[in-house]
Amino acid sequence: MTTPDTTNHFTDAPSRRIGSQGLIRSEKGAILLFESRRRVDRGDQLTWNLPGGCAQGNEDPQAACKRRIQEKSGLLIEPGRLLVMHWQPAKDGTVEGHNYVWDGGVISQHTEFQLSTAITQYRFVPRRQLSAYAPQSLVERIDAALHALGHEHDGYLAGRAG
């Protein structure tokens, strides 16, 4: 016989990560990626990610996207509509998380950035080359966001920790 769960999930909620990223494209449709110094320093094989980062406690995910992109690159964007919410299970000592991807619009490939020390470099990457830079979970998230751009609905993606 199992004991019923008496946890109050409204007052004692489980810990979760909230990531918030922008899908920013060049005029030719290439995706803007930033290389993470943290991933490089820990020796990850695929070290690139969409611009953005983690939200702080009690921070609106869309506002977090705008803040984190500006902090990391100096780029001031107004995130548009939500394209994807990607749920990821816990993995390797991390808690489960949600990653929001917002429409970051189109910018020139010649845009100059003021990179923070958290970013080693940036690059506009064509869709067909993403898997050489990013883990499969991110490629799937980007694909879902690109699909949502061409449709009137947003996407929900579940699974694959990354």
Side-chain angles (χ1 to χ4, degrees), residues 16-22 49-56 59-62 64-65 67-68 72 82 84-88 96-102 141:
R16 291 187 173 98
R17 297 173 287 121
I18 302 293
S20 199
Q21 302 172 310
N49 208 339
L50 288 171
C54 289
Q56 297 173 346
E59 183 178 26
D60 173 83
Q62 193 173 28
C65 179
R67 176 183 61 80
R68 296 294 290 184
K72 291 181 177 181
L82 178 64
V84 173
M85 189 196 55
H86 182 190
W87 172 79
Q88 293 179 285
E96 72 174 304
H98 294 96
N99 284 289
Y100 295 85
V101 180
W102 308 91
R141 189 181 314 150

Side-chain angles (χ1 to χ4, degrees), residues 18-22 24 34 36 38 49-57 59-77 79 100 102 113-119:
I18 302 293
S20 199
Q21 302 172 310
I24 301 171
F34 289 164
S36 164
R38 177 180 50 85
N49 208 339
L50 288 171
C54 289
Q56 297 173 346
E59 183 178 26
D60 173 83
Q62 193 173 28
C65 179
K66 178 179 178 176
R67 176 183 61 80
R68 296 294 290 184
I69 290 173
Q70 186 174 16
E71 287 174 353
K72 291 181 177 181
S73 69
L75 183 63
L76 184 58
I77 66 156
Y100 295 85
W102 308 91
F113 298 99
Q114 299 162 348
L115 299 180
S116 76
T117 58
I119 304 301

Side-chain angles (χ1 to χ4, degrees), residues 33 39 46-49 129-139 142:
L33 297 180
R39 289 181 178 187
L46 300 170
T47 56
W48 296 78
N49 208 339
Q129 296 176 10
L130 286 175
S131 60
Y133 294 87
Q136 187 60 33
S137 61
L138 180 59
V139 173
I142 292 170

Side-chain angles (χ1 to χ4, degrees), residues 79-130:
R81 74 178 177 98
L82 178 64
L83 299 174
V84 173
M85 189 196 55
H86 182 190
W87 172 79
Q88 293 179 285
K91 176 188 172 197
D92 299 333
T94 64
V95 296
E96 72 174 304
H98 294 96
N99 284 289
Y100 295 85
V101 180
W102 308 91
D103 183 359
V106 174
I107 64 172
S108 169
Q109 282 190 266
H110 304 292
T111 299
E112 293 191 27
F113 298 99
Q114 299 162 348
L115 299 180
S116 76
T117 58
I119 304 301
T120 61
Q121 57 184 319
Y122 69 92
R123 182 168 292 162
F124 285 92
V125 178
R127 163 57 195 97
R128 68 186 176 284
Q129 296 176 10
L130 286 175

